[in-house]
Amino acid sequence: MLMAHPAVLARLVEEYEAVAQPHPADRREPARQRMEDVVYTLCVSTGTRDIQSALAAARERLRTAWAADGEAGARDCRIVSDASR
């Protein structure tokens, strides 16, 4: 299964959390439509069918991507420090 880039997923989760906050004035059509669009995009991007599964999949992907980046960064630091000796 293809999964969206972590930066895309992070932006979508952030946007979902922003539009999911209850704002009484945002019962208008554009706000409701934006919520539906973000939910749909998150579900498609994660290969899921509901927002809870999409959020869980996106957060897991982000967690593993950040862990991999941290490991790569640590390896890069060791390489640089070894080369400077």
Side-chain angles (χ1 to χ4, degrees):
M1 171 181 70
L2 293 176
M3 177 86 56
H5 189 278
V8 172
L9 289 175
R11 184 187 56 78
L12 285 168
V13 169
E14 187 176 293
E15 189 170 354
Y16 172 79
E17 290 170 347
V19 297
Q21 296 298 316
H23 299 285
D26 284 344
R27 297 290 180 228
R28 301 178 312 265
E29 182 62 25
R32 187 184 65 73
Q33 184 62 51
R34 187 64 200 141
M35 172 63 97
E36 289 177 12
D37 291 346
V38 171
V39 168
Y40 174 82
T41 305
L42 264 168
C43 288
V44 169
S45 298
T46 57
T48 59
R49 293 183 177 215
D50 65 85
I51 189 59
Q52 296 308 320
S53 298
L55 289 170
R59 289 179 176 134
E60 177 62 17
R61 171 72 172 113
L62 292 171
R63 186 187 65 73
T64 58
W66 290 328
D69 285 348
E71 291 169 9
R75 282 193 305 273
D76 292 344
C77 290
R78 285 193 300 270
I79 291 168
V80 169
S81 68
D82 288 346
S84 64
R85 289 183 191 176

